[in-house]
Amino acid sequence: MDAAGRVEAVLAQVDADIETGLERLKALLRIKSVSTDPAFAGECRRAAAWLAEQLQALGFEAAARPTPGHPIVIAHSPEQGGPHVLFYGHYDVQPVDPLALWHTDPFEPSVQADSNGRTIIVARGASDDKGQMMTFIEACRAWKAVTGELPVRVSMLLEGEEESGGPSLPGFLTDNAAELGAADIALVCDTRMWEAQTPSVITMLRGLVAEEIEITCASRDLHSGLYGNAARNPNQVLADIIASLRAPDGSVAIAGFYDDVDEISPALKAQWAGLGFDAAAFLGSAGLSVPAGEQERSVLETLWARPTCEINGMSGGYAGDGFKTVLPAKASAKISFRLVSRMDPDRVRQAFRRHVERHLPADCTVRFTDHGGSPAIVVPDDGLALGRALQALSQEWGKPAVITGSGGSIPVVGEFKRLLGLDTLLIGFARIDNKIHSPNEKYDLDSFHRGIRSWVRVLAALAA
């Protein structure tokens, strides 16, 4: 049987086994692997053990390895030679609160029709990330069932703390860099399609810097009638500093902020322009109509390829019911920066702190708290692996797969590059309406089925 015939045979196996594959997904969804709540630590261990057993049954050398937090499942297929891929997924899920808003038990998967007539499976983790993760595992199962082997060497890293910040992962990657860094490329299935029937590969992820500042003026709260005008008000100082962070044209006004920001290529800009993105509808869905950010740039460009400075929270003074005429002693704000291209998180953090200190008046002090950071990720858009993945996805979905960016951050992708030296292809089959992190999270069964078929084709393409 030639290569094309093998692929068709494996795809036929996927189709024949889809119902039992769905039952395996349901079994995983029933495990209450909420990573952020210590009460569910046993359930996280149970999910890791379940996955390790499934992979062992497929011929992987697999184990749930201990960490200071929840276990990380590591698995290696026996194939030698040829391309070597490292697949990443996470088995932990978000808490289900508020439970009253769920229409069904969040840990008892329910297959039903949605308002658009699509068949979906509703459960916590259905889309983020158990359903997505299982598309890859089921693709490996189909290859094994038909040919007895995988077309490429596969390693897997299945994490149990992604939804709680992944505190154990960097140390684990450092300790196991020789083992995991032997791969040629990483694959992540924790993203979404461009639209319901258009697959995509994300090649840009913005990085993140998170800072908290606390401004202190007087040594205690002051009566606003007795001290107003004469005493510095930290709320006013904080407001002035925050106002200074943006220029009138929407750009960030911190000195040197754009020094390491690269322009996207004309070809990529043209492809994005052809995606049919409706900026008015995008903003309208949030009750807005006028784009903010840098003027004379498209909304997609500002979302995917430009850095941001956003105020995520402010506090200071009395915020309870009624009114209290007080000048608070302290005021604080939480501020985040999304990074692109070559921006260094430490340089951005220090530039921000210098900016704040330059705008700090007399009688005031500032305390900074570092809430973490990660660099942006850019995968070259002319790479061989990317081209093959796009072709495979296009074959499965019957329309050209597209290259997209993401305004969000997936820290593990940055850690793969920093600690293992691996580029990552982000290929996901979720849809924008999957309600991840919200009540009634769901995954389209079409995404599950064709996601499995897509990975069958991608693995074959990478082996070509």
Side-chain angles (χ1 to χ4, degrees), residues 191-257:
T191 57
R192 68 178 181 87
M193 311 242 290
W194 168 242
E195 58 184 13
Q197 297 296 317
T198 305
S200 67
V201 180
I202 292 176
T203 62
M204 290 182 175
L205 284 174
R206 292 197 291 196
L208 180 66
V209 167
E211 278 279 279
E212 185 172 355
I213 61 173
E214 182 182 73
I215 306 293
T216 301
C217 294
S219 59
R220 66 181 189 278
D221 288 358
L222 302 174
H223 189 291
S224 66
L226 298 177
Y227 283 90
N229 281 343
R232 291 281 185 191
N233 186 328
N235 280 336
Q236 182 66 56
V237 173
L238 180 64
D240 290 344
I241 290 173
I242 288 175
S244 73
L245 293 172
R246 290 272 188 179
D249 67 356
S251 63
V252 178
I254 297 173
F257 188 74

Short mmCIF file of all heavy atoms in Angstrom, two decimals, residues 191-257:
data_model
loop_
_atom_site.label_atom_id
_atom_site.label_comp_id
_atom_site.label_asym_id
_atom_site.label_seq_id
_atom_site.Cartn_x
_atom_site.Cartn_y
_atom_site.Cartn_z
N THR A 191 -6.08 25.78 20.59
CA THR A 191 -6.49 27.02 19.92
C THR A 191 -7.74 26.72 19.10
O THR A 191 -8.30 25.64 19.16
CB THR A 191 -5.36 27.55 19.02
OG1 THR A 191 -4.99 26.53 18.07
CG2 THR A 191 -4.13 27.92 19.83
N ARG A 192 -8.16 27.69 18.29
CA ARG A 192 -9.41 27.54 17.57
C ARG A 192 -9.21 27.72 16.07
O ARG A 192 -8.17 28.19 15.61
CB ARG A 192 -10.45 28.52 18.08
CG ARG A 192 -10.16 29.99 17.78
CD ARG A 192 -11.28 30.89 18.28
NE ARG A 192 -11.06 32.30 18.00
CZ ARG A 192 -11.42 32.91 16.88
NH1 ARG A 192 -12.00 32.22 15.91
NH2 ARG A 192 -11.21 34.20 16.72
N MET A 193 -10.24 27.35 15.32
CA MET A 193 -10.28 27.57 13.88
C MET A 193 -10.53 29.07 13.61
O MET A 193 -11.00 29.80 14.48
CB MET A 193 -11.40 26.75 13.27
CG MET A 193 -11.41 25.30 13.70
SD MET A 193 -11.16 24.17 12.36
CE MET A 193 -12.68 24.33 11.46
N TRP A 194 -10.21 29.47 12.38
CA TRP A 194 -10.47 30.86 12.03
C TRP A 194 -11.98 31.10 11.98
O TRP A 194 -12.48 32.08 12.51
CB TRP A 194 -9.82 31.21 10.69
CG TRP A 194 -10.29 32.51 10.14
CD1 TRP A 194 -10.95 32.72 8.98
CD2 TRP A 194 -10.15 33.80 10.75
NE1 TRP A 194 -11.23 34.05 8.81
CE2 TRP A 194 -10.75 34.74 9.89
CE3 TRP A 194 -9.58 34.25 11.94
CZ2 TRP A 194 -10.80 36.10 10.18
CZ3 TRP A 194 -9.63 35.61 12.23
CH2 TRP A 194 -10.23 36.52 11.36
N GLU A 195 -12.71 30.21 11.36
CA GLU A 195 -14.16 30.23 11.38
C GLU A 195 -14.65 28.79 11.34
O GLU A 195 -13.83 27.86 11.30
CB GLU A 195 -14.72 31.05 10.21
CG GLU A 195 -14.30 30.58 8.84
CD GLU A 195 -14.79 31.48 7.73
OE1 GLU A 195 -15.25 32.59 8.03
OE2 GLU A 195 -14.73 31.06 6.56
N ALA A 196 -15.94 28.58 11.35
CA ALA A 196 -16.49 27.24 11.60
C ALA A 196 -15.94 26.16 10.68
O ALA A 196 -15.76 25.03 11.10
CB ALA A 196 -18.02 27.29 11.49
N GLN A 197 -15.64 26.48 9.42
CA GLN A 197 -15.16 25.47 8.48
C GLN A 197 -13.81 25.84 7.87
O GLN A 197 -13.41 25.26 6.86
CB GLN A 197 -16.20 25.26 7.37
CG GLN A 197 -17.53 24.72 7.86
CD GLN A 197 -17.42 23.32 8.44
OE1 GLN A 197 -16.74 22.46 7.91
NE2 GLN A 197 -18.11 23.10 9.57
N THR A 198 -13.11 26.79 8.48
CA THR A 198 -11.81 27.20 7.96
C THR A 198 -10.73 26.92 8.99
O THR A 198 -10.66 27.61 10.02
CB THR A 198 -11.80 28.70 7.60
OG1 THR A 198 -12.86 28.99 6.68
CG2 THR A 198 -10.47 29.09 6.97
N PRO A 199 -9.89 25.92 8.74
CA PRO A 199 -8.82 25.62 9.69
C PRO A 199 -7.71 26.66 9.60
O PRO A 199 -7.56 27.35 8.59
CB PRO A 199 -8.32 24.25 9.24
CG PRO A 199 -8.58 24.24 7.76
CD PRO A 199 -9.85 25.03 7.56
N SER A 200 -6.94 26.75 10.67
CA SER A 200 -5.85 27.73 10.68
C SER A 200 -4.68 27.21 11.49
O SER A 200 -4.83 26.31 12.32
CB SER A 200 -6.33 29.06 11.26
OG SER A 200 -6.63 28.93 12.64
N VAL A 201 -3.53 27.78 11.22
CA VAL A 201 -2.34 27.57 12.04
C VAL A 201 -1.92 28.93 12.57
O VAL A 201 -1.73 29.87 11.80
CB VAL A 201 -1.19 26.93 11.23
CG1 VAL A 201 0.03 26.74 12.14
CG2 VAL A 201 -1.62 25.61 10.62
N ILE A 202 -1.83 29.04 13.88
CA ILE A 202 -1.42 30.29 14.50
C ILE A 202 0.10 30.36 14.50
O ILE A 202 0.78 29.44 14.97
CB ILE A 202 -1.97 30.41 15.93
CG1 ILE A 202 -3.49 30.58 15.89
CG2 ILE A 202 -1.34 31.58 16.68
CD1 ILE A 202 -4.13 30.59 17.25
N THR A 203 0.65 31.43 13.95
CA THR A 203 2.10 31.59 13.90
C THR A 203 2.60 32.73 14.77
O THR A 203 3.81 32.95 14.85
CB THR A 203 2.57 31.83 12.45
OG1 THR A 203 2.00 33.04 11.95
CG2 THR A 203 2.19 30.67 11.55
N MET A 204 1.69 33.46 15.38
CA MET A 204 2.08 34.57 16.26
C MET A 204 1.28 34.50 17.55
O MET A 204 0.06 34.41 17.52
CB MET A 204 1.81 35.93 15.60
CG MET A 204 2.70 36.26 14.44
SD MET A 204 2.29 37.93 13.80
CE MET A 204 3.58 38.12 12.58
N LEU A 205 1.98 34.53 18.65
CA LEU A 205 1.36 34.66 19.97
C LEU A 205 2.00 35.85 20.67
O LEU A 205 3.23 35.97 20.71
CB LEU A 205 1.62 33.41 20.81
CG LEU A 205 0.83 32.14 20.53
CD1 LEU A 205 1.37 31.01 21.39
CD2 LEU A 205 -0.65 32.35 20.82
N ARG A 206 1.18 36.71 21.21
CA ARG A 206 1.76 37.82 21.95
C ARG A 206 2.26 37.35 23.31
O ARG A 206 1.70 36.46 23.94
CB ARG A 206 0.72 38.94 22.13
CG ARG A 206 0.39 39.61 20.81
CD ARG A 206 -0.29 40.94 20.94
NE ARG A 206 -1.64 40.84 21.46
CZ ARG A 206 -2.54 41.82 21.39
NH1 ARG A 206 -2.22 42.98 20.81
NH2 ARG A 206 -3.75 41.69 21.88
N GLY A 207 3.37 37.95 23.74
CA GLY A 207 3.89 37.70 25.08
C GLY A 207 3.16 38.55 26.09
O GLY A 207 2.20 39.26 25.78
N LEU A 208 3.63 38.51 27.33
CA LEU A 208 2.90 39.18 28.41
C LEU A 208 3.87 39.69 29.48
O LEU A 208 4.83 39.00 29.84
CB LEU A 208 1.91 38.21 29.05
CG LEU A 208 1.04 38.72 30.20
CD1 LEU A 208 0.07 39.79 29.70
CD2 LEU A 208 0.29 37.56 30.84
N VAL A 209 3.61 40.88 29.96
CA VAL A 209 4.23 41.42 31.17
C VAL A 209 3.10 41.91 32.07
O VAL A 209 2.22 42.64 31.62
CB VAL A 209 5.20 42.58 30.87
CG1 VAL A 209 5.58 43.33 32.14
CG2 VAL A 209 6.45 42.07 30.17
N ALA A 210 3.10 41.47 33.32
CA ALA A 210 2.06 41.87 34.27
C ALA A 210 2.71 42.57 35.46
O ALA A 210 3.61 42.03 36.10
CB ALA A 210 1.28 40.65 34.74
N GLU A 211 2.27 43.78 35.74
CA GLU A 211 2.83 44.61 36.80
C GLU A 211 1.72 45.17 37.69
O GLU A 211 0.61 45.47 37.21
CB GLU A 211 3.59 45.80 36.22
CG GLU A 211 5.00 45.52 35.78
CD GLU A 211 5.97 45.52 36.95
OE1 GLU A 211 6.41 46.60 37.38
OE2 GLU A 211 6.29 44.41 37.43
N GLU A 212 2.02 45.33 38.95
CA GLU A 212 1.13 46.02 39.88
C GLU A 212 1.91 47.16 40.51
O GLU A 212 3.06 46.98 40.91
CB GLU A 212 0.63 45.07 40.96
CG GLU A 212 -0.40 45.69 41.90
CD GLU A 212 -1.02 44.67 42.85
OE1 GLU A 212 -0.71 43.47 42.71
OE2 GLU A 212 -1.81 45.09 43.71
N ILE A 213 1.30 48.34 40.56
CA ILE A 213 1.95 49.48 41.20
C ILE A 213 1.08 49.98 42.34
O ILE A 213 -0.15 49.96 42.26
CB ILE A 213 2.24 50.63 40.20
CG1 ILE A 213 0.94 51.17 39.57
CG2 ILE A 213 3.20 50.18 39.13
CD1 ILE A 213 1.16 52.41 38.72
N GLU A 214 1.73 50.41 43.40
CA GLU A 214 1.04 50.99 44.54
C GLU A 214 1.68 52.33 44.86
O GLU A 214 2.87 52.40 45.15
CB GLU A 214 1.13 50.06 45.76
CG GLU A 214 0.36 50.60 46.97
CD GLU A 214 0.50 49.68 48.18
OE1 GLU A 214 1.59 49.67 48.79
OE2 GLU A 214 -0.49 48.98 48.50
N ILE A 215 0.89 53.38 44.78
CA ILE A 215 1.34 54.74 45.07
C ILE A 215 0.97 55.09 46.51
O ILE A 215 -0.19 54.92 46.90
CB ILE A 215 0.70 55.77 44.11
CG1 ILE A 215 0.93 55.38 42.65
CG2 ILE A 215 1.21 57.17 44.41
CD1 ILE A 215 2.35 55.45 42.20
N THR A 216 1.93 55.56 47.27
CA THR A 216 1.68 56.02 48.64
C THR A 216 2.05 57.49 48.74
O THR A 216 3.13 57.91 48.30
CB THR A 216 2.52 55.22 49.65
OG1 THR A 216 2.18 53.83 49.55
CG2 THR A 216 2.25 55.69 51.07
N CYS A 217 1.16 58.29 49.33
CA CYS A 217 1.43 59.72 49.53
C CYS A 217 1.50 60.00 51.04
O CYS A 217 2.57 59.85 51.62
CB CYS A 217 0.37 60.57 48.84
SG CYS A 217 0.42 60.43 47.03
N ALA A 218 0.39 60.33 51.67
CA ALA A 218 0.41 60.64 53.10
C ALA A 218 0.61 59.36 53.92
O ALA A 218 0.49 58.24 53.43
CB ALA A 218 -0.90 61.32 53.51
N SER A 219 0.93 59.57 55.21
CA SER A 219 1.17 58.43 56.09
C SER A 219 -0.11 57.78 56.57
O SER A 219 -0.07 56.70 57.17
CB SER A 219 2.00 58.88 57.30
OG SER A 219 1.30 59.90 58.03
N ARG A 220 -1.27 58.40 56.31
CA ARG A 220 -2.56 57.85 56.71
C ARG A 220 -3.64 58.46 55.82
O ARG A 220 -3.40 59.45 55.10
CB ARG A 220 -2.85 58.17 58.18
CG ARG A 220 -3.04 59.66 58.46
CD ARG A 220 -3.30 59.94 59.93
NE ARG A 220 -3.71 61.32 60.17
CZ ARG A 220 -2.88 62.34 60.26
NH1 ARG A 220 -1.55 62.12 60.14
NH2 ARG A 220 -3.32 63.57 60.49
N ASP A 221 -4.85 57.90 55.85
CA ASP A 221 -5.98 58.52 55.16
C ASP A 221 -6.27 59.87 55.79
O ASP A 221 -6.17 60.05 57.01
CB ASP A 221 -7.22 57.63 55.27
CG ASP A 221 -7.11 56.37 54.42
OD1 ASP A 221 -6.09 56.21 53.71
OD2 ASP A 221 -8.04 55.55 54.46
N LEU A 222 -6.65 60.83 54.93
CA LEU A 222 -6.85 62.21 55.41
C LEU A 222 -8.27 62.69 55.11
O LEU A 222 -8.89 62.29 54.11
CB LEU A 222 -5.85 63.15 54.72
CG LEU A 222 -4.36 62.82 54.90
CD1 LEU A 222 -3.52 63.75 54.05
CD2 LEU A 222 -3.96 62.91 56.37
N HIS A 223 -8.78 63.58 55.95
CA HIS A 223 -10.07 64.22 55.76
C HIS A 223 -9.96 65.15 54.56
O HIS A 223 -9.10 66.03 54.51
CB HIS A 223 -10.43 65.02 57.03
CG HIS A 223 -11.82 65.54 57.05
ND1 HIS A 223 -12.26 66.55 56.20
CD2 HIS A 223 -12.90 65.21 57.83
CE1 HIS A 223 -13.52 66.82 56.46
NE2 HIS A 223 -13.94 66.02 57.44
N SER A 224 -10.86 64.97 53.59
CA SER A 224 -10.72 65.74 52.35
C SER A 224 -11.03 67.21 52.52
O SER A 224 -10.60 68.04 51.72
CB SER A 224 -11.62 65.14 51.25
OG SER A 224 -12.99 65.30 51.58
N GLY A 225 -11.79 67.56 53.56
CA GLY A 225 -12.04 68.98 53.81
C GLY A 225 -10.86 69.65 54.50
O GLY A 225 -10.50 70.78 54.18
N LEU A 226 -10.24 68.94 55.43
CA LEU A 226 -9.12 69.53 56.17
C LEU A 226 -7.82 69.53 55.37
O LEU A 226 -6.96 70.39 55.60
CB LEU A 226 -8.92 68.77 57.49
CG LEU A 226 -10.08 68.80 58.49
CD1 LEU A 226 -9.75 67.94 59.70
CD2 LEU A 226 -10.37 70.24 58.91
N TYR A 227 -7.65 68.54 54.45
CA TYR A 227 -6.37 68.42 53.74
C TYR A 227 -6.49 68.58 52.22
O TYR A 227 -5.48 68.63 51.53
CB TYR A 227 -5.76 67.04 54.03
CG TYR A 227 -5.13 66.94 55.40
CD1 TYR A 227 -5.86 66.52 56.49
CD2 TYR A 227 -3.79 67.28 55.59
CE1 TYR A 227 -5.31 66.42 57.75
CE2 TYR A 227 -3.20 67.18 56.85
CZ TYR A 227 -3.96 66.75 57.93
OH TYR A 227 -3.39 66.66 59.18
N GLY A 228 -7.73 68.66 51.68
CA GLY A 228 -7.88 68.79 50.24
C GLY A 228 -7.15 70.01 49.69
O GLY A 228 -7.15 71.07 50.32
N ASN A 229 -6.52 69.88 48.52
CA ASN A 229 -5.66 70.87 47.87
C ASN A 229 -4.25 70.88 48.45
O ASN A 229 -3.27 70.95 47.72
CB ASN A 229 -6.22 72.29 47.94
CG ASN A 229 -7.32 72.53 46.91
OD1 ASN A 229 -7.43 71.77 45.95
ND2 ASN A 229 -8.11 73.57 47.11
N ALA A 230 -4.13 70.83 49.77
CA ALA A 230 -2.80 70.92 50.39
C ALA A 230 -2.05 69.60 50.30
O ALA A 230 -0.82 69.58 50.21
CB ALA A 230 -2.94 71.34 51.85
N ALA A 231 -2.76 68.47 50.34
CA ALA A 231 -2.11 67.16 50.37
C ALA A 231 -2.23 66.47 49.01
O ALA A 231 -3.23 66.61 48.31
CB ALA A 231 -2.75 66.29 51.45
N ARG A 232 -1.19 65.73 48.66
CA ARG A 232 -1.24 64.92 47.45
C ARG A 232 -2.30 63.83 47.59
O ARG A 232 -2.41 63.19 48.63
CB ARG A 232 0.10 64.25 47.20
CG ARG A 232 1.22 65.19 46.80
CD ARG A 232 1.10 65.57 45.33
NE ARG A 232 2.25 66.38 44.92
CZ ARG A 232 2.32 67.02 43.77
NH1 ARG A 232 1.29 66.98 42.94
NH2 ARG A 232 3.39 67.71 43.46
N ASN A 233 -3.04 63.61 46.51
CA ASN A 233 -4.04 62.56 46.48
C ASN A 233 -3.50 61.43 45.61
O ASN A 233 -3.32 61.61 44.40
CB ASN A 233 -5.35 63.10 45.91
CG ASN A 233 -6.49 62.09 45.98
OD1 ASN A 233 -6.26 60.89 45.89
ND2 ASN A 233 -7.70 62.59 46.14
N PRO A 234 -3.22 60.25 46.16
CA PRO A 234 -2.64 59.18 45.35
C PRO A 234 -3.55 58.71 44.22
O PRO A 234 -3.05 58.22 43.20
CB PRO A 234 -2.38 58.06 46.36
CG PRO A 234 -3.30 58.35 47.49
CD PRO A 234 -3.42 59.84 47.56
N ASN A 235 -4.86 58.88 44.38
CA ASN A 235 -5.74 58.55 43.26
C ASN A 235 -5.46 59.45 42.07
O ASN A 235 -5.44 59.00 40.92
CB ASN A 235 -7.21 58.70 43.68
CG ASN A 235 -7.72 57.51 44.46
OD1 ASN A 235 -7.20 56.41 44.33
ND2 ASN A 235 -8.73 57.74 45.28
N GLN A 236 -5.25 60.75 42.33
CA GLN A 236 -4.95 61.69 41.26
C GLN A 236 -3.59 61.39 40.64
O GLN A 236 -3.42 61.41 39.42
CB GLN A 236 -4.98 63.12 41.78
CG GLN A 236 -4.73 64.18 40.71
CD GLN A 236 -5.85 64.22 39.68
OE1 GLN A 236 -7.00 64.39 40.03
NE2 GLN A 236 -5.50 64.04 38.41
N VAL A 237 -2.60 61.10 41.51
CA VAL A 237 -1.26 60.78 41.01
C VAL A 237 -1.33 59.54 40.12
O VAL A 237 -0.74 59.51 39.02
CB VAL A 237 -0.30 60.55 42.19
CG1 VAL A 237 1.06 60.05 41.68
CG2 VAL A 237 -0.13 61.84 42.99
N LEU A 238 -2.05 58.52 40.58
CA LEU A 238 -2.17 57.30 39.79
C LEU A 238 -2.88 57.56 38.46
O LEU A 238 -2.45 57.07 37.41
CB LEU A 238 -2.94 56.25 40.59
CG LEU A 238 -3.16 54.90 39.92
CD1 LEU A 238 -1.83 54.19 39.67
CD2 LEU A 238 -4.08 54.02 40.76
N ALA A 239 -3.95 58.36 38.50
CA ALA A 239 -4.68 58.68 37.27
C ALA A 239 -3.79 59.42 36.27
O ALA A 239 -3.82 59.15 35.06
CB ALA A 239 -5.91 59.51 37.60
N ASP A 240 -2.96 60.35 36.78
CA ASP A 240 -2.06 61.09 35.89
C ASP A 240 -1.03 60.17 35.26
O ASP A 240 -0.70 60.30 34.08
CB ASP A 240 -1.36 62.20 36.68
CG ASP A 240 -2.31 63.32 37.09
OD1 ASP A 240 -3.41 63.41 36.51
OD2 ASP A 240 -1.94 64.10 37.99
N ILE A 241 -0.49 59.25 36.05
CA ILE A 241 0.50 58.31 35.52
C ILE A 241 -0.13 57.42 34.46
O ILE A 241 0.44 57.21 33.38
CB ILE A 241 1.11 57.47 36.66
CG1 ILE A 241 2.00 58.35 37.54
CG2 ILE A 241 1.90 56.29 36.10
CD1 ILE A 241 2.51 57.66 38.79
N ILE A 242 -1.31 56.91 34.74
CA ILE A 242 -1.98 56.04 33.78
C ILE A 242 -2.31 56.80 32.50
O ILE A 242 -2.14 56.28 31.39
CB ILE A 242 -3.23 55.41 34.41
CG1 ILE A 242 -2.81 54.35 35.44
CG2 ILE A 242 -4.15 54.82 33.36
CD1 ILE A 242 -3.95 53.74 36.21
N ALA A 243 -2.76 58.04 32.65
CA ALA A 243 -3.07 58.83 31.47
C ALA A 243 -1.83 59.08 30.61
O ALA A 243 -1.94 59.22 29.38
CB ALA A 243 -3.70 60.16 31.88
N SER A 244 -0.67 59.11 31.23
CA SER A 244 0.56 59.38 30.50
C SER A 244 1.06 58.18 29.69
O SER A 244 1.98 58.31 28.89
CB SER A 244 1.67 59.81 31.46
OG SER A 244 2.15 58.71 32.22
N LEU A 245 0.45 57.02 29.88
CA LEU A 245 0.94 55.82 29.22
C LEU A 245 0.55 55.76 27.75
O LEU A 245 1.16 55.01 26.98
CB LEU A 245 0.41 54.57 29.93
CG LEU A 245 0.93 54.33 31.35
CD1 LEU A 245 0.17 53.19 32.01
CD2 LEU A 245 2.43 54.04 31.33
N ARG A 246 -0.47 56.51 27.35
CA ARG A 246 -0.92 56.49 25.96
C ARG A 246 -0.82 57.88 25.34
O ARG A 246 -1.11 58.88 25.98
CB ARG A 246 -2.38 56.04 25.88
CG ARG A 246 -2.62 54.58 26.19
CD ARG A 246 -2.50 53.71 24.97
NE ARG A 246 -2.91 52.34 25.22
CZ ARG A 246 -2.92 51.38 24.30
NH1 ARG A 246 -2.56 51.65 23.07
NH2 ARG A 246 -3.29 50.16 24.61
N ALA A 247 -0.42 57.91 24.07
CA ALA A 247 -0.41 59.15 23.30
C ALA A 247 -1.78 59.36 22.67
O ALA A 247 -2.58 58.42 22.58
CB ALA A 247 0.68 59.08 22.23
N PRO A 248 -2.07 60.58 22.20
CA PRO A 248 -3.39 60.83 21.59
C PRO A 248 -3.69 59.96 20.39
O PRO A 248 -4.87 59.70 20.09
CB PRO A 248 -3.29 62.32 21.19
CG PRO A 248 -2.30 62.91 22.14
CD PRO A 248 -1.30 61.83 22.37
N ASP A 249 -2.66 59.47 19.68
CA ASP A 249 -2.91 58.62 18.50
C ASP A 249 -3.12 57.16 18.86
O ASP A 249 -3.23 56.30 17.98
CB ASP A 249 -1.76 58.76 17.50
CG ASP A 249 -0.44 58.20 18.02
OD1 ASP A 249 -0.38 57.76 19.19
OD2 ASP A 249 0.54 58.20 17.25
N GLY A 250 -3.21 56.85 20.17
CA GLY A 250 -3.45 55.49 20.60
C GLY A 250 -2.21 54.67 20.84
O GLY A 250 -2.30 53.54 21.33
N SER A 251 -1.04 55.18 20.51
CA SER A 251 0.19 54.43 20.72
C SER A 251 0.61 54.50 22.18
O SER A 251 0.15 55.35 22.95
CB SER A 251 1.31 54.99 19.84
OG SER A 251 1.59 56.34 20.20
N VAL A 252 1.49 53.60 22.58
CA VAL A 252 2.01 53.58 23.94
C VAL A 252 3.15 54.58 24.03
O VAL A 252 4.05 54.59 23.20
CB VAL A 252 2.49 52.16 24.32
CG1 VAL A 252 3.08 52.15 25.72
CG2 VAL A 252 1.33 51.17 24.22
N ALA A 253 3.12 55.43 25.06
CA ALA A 253 4.03 56.57 25.16
C ALA A 253 5.22 56.32 26.06
O ALA A 253 5.85 57.27 26.53
CB ALA A 253 3.25 57.80 25.64
N ILE A 254 5.55 55.08 26.32
CA ILE A 254 6.73 54.75 27.12
C ILE A 254 7.96 54.80 26.22
O ILE A 254 7.98 54.22 25.14
CB ILE A 254 6.58 53.35 27.74
CG1 ILE A 254 5.40 53.33 28.71
CG2 ILE A 254 7.86 52.92 28.45
CD1 ILE A 254 5.07 51.95 29.25
N ALA A 255 9.01 55.48 26.67
CA ALA A 255 10.22 55.64 25.86
C ALA A 255 10.81 54.28 25.51
O ALA A 255 10.99 53.42 26.37
CB ALA A 255 11.24 56.48 26.63
N GLY A 256 11.10 54.09 24.22
CA GLY A 256 11.72 52.86 23.75
C GLY A 256 10.79 51.67 23.61
O GLY A 256 11.24 50.57 23.28
N PHE A 257 9.49 51.88 23.81
CA PHE A 257 8.56 50.75 23.84
C PHE A 257 8.53 49.99 22.51
O PHE A 257 8.39 48.76 22.49
CB PHE A 257 7.16 51.27 24.18
CG PHE A 257 6.13 50.19 24.42
CD1 PHE A 257 6.15 49.45 25.59
CD2 PHE A 257 5.14 49.93 23.49
CE1 PHE A 257 5.21 48.46 25.83
CE2 PHE A 257 4.18 48.95 23.72
CZ PHE A 257 4.22 48.21 24.89
#
